[in-house]
Amino acid sequence: DADVTQTPRNRITKTGKRIMLECSQTKGHDRMYWYRQDPGLGLRLIYYSFDVKDINKGEISDGYSVSRQAQAKFSLSLESAIPNQTALYFCATSDVDRGYGYTFGSGTRLTVV
Amino acid sequence: GEDVEQSLFLSVREGDSSVINCTYTDSSSTYLYWYKQEPGAGLQLLTYIFSNMDMKQDQRLTVLLNKKDKHLSLRIADTQTGDSAIYFCAESLTGNQFYFGTGTSLTVIP
């Protein structure tokens, strides 16, 4: 099993719909992150959480919300999806081992039509 | 936010060495990283270096850090077709917030 699992892998949704992307990890890491990747823009941080009671906004949090249900689970929601939220979304975890370097999930490709 | 810059494309012949370069703006960065992304996959941490180091070697990978010029490079020796991917440089001051470059697409020509 993958260390960081994201579901779904692909999703097409309509403008205005609510959608949730889920992430679970078996690394035992406290720190979890959501990023989006757009061609030519690299990765941009949406939200991050350093433990179950800690939630922080990233660079581009508008239009998104998150929930840290447990140490191992961190979900990202789009309350009312819009086309410019079409992107590849990654969940990641980190800890002090490997210099806080990330372990990424395989990504969710989201298309909003 | 911090600015991390990389060239967009690099092509090398199989068996040659590849050198991927990165410049960053925050001289206080504590950690610097190289990630690899293969098509359809997430990013994979290749290696990292602390800012108090000048060089780190790990098998075919060599990372060089020039703090004065805020320049980081990744050298891949004996480049193979399986090394074709996008390579991302990233920096972090405290291990809390990370800043990624836009990635360098490496193409290995057989």
Side-chain angles (χ1 to χ4, degrees):
Chain A
D1 287 344
D3 292 328
V4 181
T5 302
Q6 292 184 236
T7 56
R9 287 298 311 271
N10 292 283
R11 180 73 182 266
I12 300 173
T13 192
K14 292 185 178 181
T15 298
K17 292 290 188 183
R18 183 179 189 276
I19 182 170
M20 179 182 290
L21 309 183
E22 300 192 14
C23 176
S24 63
Q25 54 120 341
T26 58
K27 299 286 290 183
H29 288 168
D30 286 325
R31 299 182 178 199
M32 297 188 74
Y33 307 79
W34 276 103
Y35 280 87
R36 68 178 276 177
Q37 184 180 30
D38 299 275
L41 294 178
L43 280 84
R44 293 181 291 167
L45 180 63
I46 307 172
Y47 270 96
Y48 62 102
S49 168
F50 285 171
D51 65 42
V52 175
K53 297 179 182 177
D54 176 70
I55 301 289
N56 303 281
K57 292 183 177 180
E59 182 186 358
I60 54 162
S61 59
D62 287 349
Y64 302 94
S65 62
V66 290
S67 174
R68 184 81 184 266
Q69 299 95 326
Q71 188 207 37
K73 295 184 182 293
F74 192 36
S75 60
L76 175 72
S77 293
L78 287 68
E79 297 300 327
S80 179
I82 56 177
N84 78 359
Q85 291 177 313
T86 293
L88 188 54
Y89 289 84
F90 287 107
C91 175
T93 73
S94 78
D95 210 333
V96 65
D97 59 311
R98 304 192 309 164
Y100 295 102
Y102 288 150
T103 301
F104 280 89
S106 297
T108 294
R109 184 167 296 281
L110 176 65
T111 303
V112 183
V113 297
Chain B
E2 306 306 325
D3 204 8
V4 181
E5 295 189 355
Q6 304 176 236
S7 54
L8 288 178
F9 303 101
L10 176 66
S11 292
V12 298
R13 294 209 172 271
E14 189 174 15
D16 288 350
S17 293
S18 308
V19 179
I20 303 171
N21 295 300
C22 169
T23 58
Y24 59 96
T25 56
D26 189 348
S27 58
S28 303
S29 292
T30 304
Y31 308 92
L32 296 126
Y33 309 84
W34 284 104
Y35 290 85
K36 175 184 180 183
Q37 185 179 29
E38 298 184 45
L43 282 72
Q44 172 195 357
L45 179 64
L46 284 178
T47 187
Y48 65 98
I49 189 169
F50 293 111
S51 60
N52 61 358
M53 300 168 65
D54 297 324
M55 184 183 86
K56 181 177 181 181
Q57 188 155 2
D58 184 1
Q59 299 182 335
R60 293 190 297 121
L61 305 179
T62 302
V63 178
L64 294 177
L65 175 60
N66 181 328
K67 283 192 70 176
K68 174 176 171 290
D69 295 338
K70 289 180 271 188
H71 182 267
L72 183 74
S73 67
L74 174 70
R75 178 177 180 270
I76 305 172
D78 186 26
T79 312
Q80 303 298 306
T81 54
D83 295 323
S84 292
I86 301 176
Y87 291 81
F88 290 89
C89 167
E91 62 159 346
S92 179
L93 172 59
T94 61
N96 293 342
Q97 294 247 6
F98 294 76
Y99 300 96
F100 286 83
T102 53
T104 298
S105 178
L106 173 65
T107 300
V108 181
I109 304 164

